[in-house]
Amino acid sequence: MVHAAILTLDECYASSAGGFADILQVANAHLRRQQGAAAVQFAWRFVSLAGKPVTASNGLQLQTHALAPHERYDLVFIPSLHYGGRRRFEQILDRQAGACAWLLAQWQAGAWIAANCTGTFILAQTGLLDGRTATTTWWLERQFRARYPDVDLQLRPVITESDRMLCAGASASYLLQAIRIVERFAGQAIAAQTAKSLLIDVSQTSQVPYLPLLAERMHSDSLVQRAQHWLQSNMTRELRISELAAALATSERTLIRRFRAALDQAPLAYVQDLRLEAARALLETGDQGIDAIAGQVGYRDTSSFSRLFRQRIGMSPGAYRNRFQVNSAP
């Protein structure tokens, strides 16, 4: 048996914890069919520090086994946790000293550890990710970097692997993560059969098409706020930084300095992101041609627009439409 432990914490997502086990169960069915009853299969337990019932974020009660100090597993999975605000989330993290010590011992004994979405924070809390590559859900990037500055956080890949540790992006990426685990322990053929059985698209290897270009950044700089409003109203025009500075009655140097301090980018880069986000919305909801969309968001040269779109979004405008267009047909 490949012995797996699913570390079940209060406020975890039941879909992440239970779904991971479901995929192992389907893999077992393929293993038995291909290799017979004697096949090496997955066995799992839902575990917690005290071994008491755990309440998932949706209110579901999950029965668990207590963590046994000397019991060793081949694999440990940390499901994603519900994020109820920064303060509450960090309080949850600060209560995990016992779980972190157990995770460290499991890894040192040779176990693989897979952390999903916000579960990556738990793994980072052990110190094991310091100096190693990891990923997590994109919208908690700044909080993760602030709390764990020694981790090499990468948001482009859906899954990262480093020294027997697999980290994955936003919660639903546990599907891809579980398939990767099945491949690691049972081989590529069983992993492919499992993915096909469950309609899991294993071609999704990048988070880039899902990442917003305009991350919300709270600031109180009134000059920058006025600049943002002006740029949003004029983004389809050919813009010069001198024109923006004149409209705001300030110098170009002051404008650029304060814009960078508030939003960590230059004003014209902000305009570029505005245009691309507008193009995304048009591709998702409309049926205009690429030429028309490029012109509508402020680009006269379609080839330049397409090249920039691919560079920033990770795929061509046409491919993006094929994947994300909302079907309005009844």
Side-chain angles (χ1 to χ4, degrees), residues 181-196:
I181 288 292
V182 171
E183 181 179 0
R184 174 65 57 182
F185 285 94
Q188 188 174 20
I190 296 297
Q193 291 167 0
T194 302
K196 289 177 182 178

Side-chain angles (χ1 to χ4, degrees), residues 132-329:
R132 296 184 170 99
T133 302
T135 193
T136 190
T137 184
W138 59 264
W139 55 276
L140 289 177
E141 174 188 6
R142 297 179 74 186
Q143 185 172 348
F144 189 97
R145 291 189 188 280
R147 189 175 177 101
Y148 310 110
D150 295 327
V151 179
D152 179 18
L153 183 66
Q154 301 290 330
L155 292 182
R156 295 184 69 88
V158 174
I159 296 174
T160 59
E161 179 177 331
S162 181
D163 295 330
R164 288 184 284 108
M165 288 179 284
L166 285 169
C167 300
S171 185
S173 61
Y174 79 83
L175 296 164
L176 297 169
Q177 195 174 24
I179 294 300
R180 180 75 70 86
I181 288 292
V182 171
E183 181 179 0
R184 174 65 57 182
F185 285 94
Q188 188 174 20
I190 296 297
Q193 291 167 0
T194 302
K196 289 177 182 178
S197 298
L198 296 170
L199 296 182
I200 298 173
D201 180 8
V202 295
S203 69
Q204 182 186 332
T205 60
S206 174
Q207 297 188 71
V208 173
Y210 300 87
L211 304 182
L213 299 177
L214 296 169
E216 292 186 13
R217 294 182 185 272
M218 303 300 294
H219 67 87
S220 57
D221 191 318
S222 60
L223 175 66
V224 175
Q225 289 170 349
R226 288 191 292 126
Q228 287 178 275
H229 180 73
W230 192 93
L231 291 171
Q232 290 163 8
S233 301
N234 294 274
M235 71 172 185
T236 60
R237 297 170 45 200
E238 186 174 348
L239 299 174
R240 296 182 182 277
I241 193 68
S242 57
E243 182 184 7
L244 174 59
L248 299 174
T250 189
S251 69
E252 294 181 37
R253 184 175 181 179
T254 296
L255 175 62
I256 293 172
R257 174 177 56 80
R258 288 174 62 173
F259 210 96
R260 286 190 180 278
L263 298 176
D264 196 28
Q265 64 180 159
L268 294 183
Y270 179 80
V271 172
Q272 186 181 87
D273 289 347
L274 281 173
R275 290 171 172 171
L276 292 178
E277 287 290 19
R280 273 175 149 178
L282 292 170
L283 289 166
E284 291 169 8
T285 59
D287 57 3
Q288 299 178 72
I290 304 302
D291 290 347
I293 289 175
Q296 192 169 335
V297 300
Y299 291 97
R300 297 179 180 178
D301 182 4
T302 303
S303 61
S304 296
F305 162 72
S306 296
R307 183 169 58 253
L308 180 61
F309 192 97
R310 182 187 291 274
Q311 177 185 335
R312 298 286 280 118
I313 309 300
M315 59 177 63
S316 70
Y320 186 88
R321 166 174 277 164
N322 290 338
R323 173 168 287 191
F324 295 105
Q325 186 175 38
V326 177
N327 188 352
S328 59

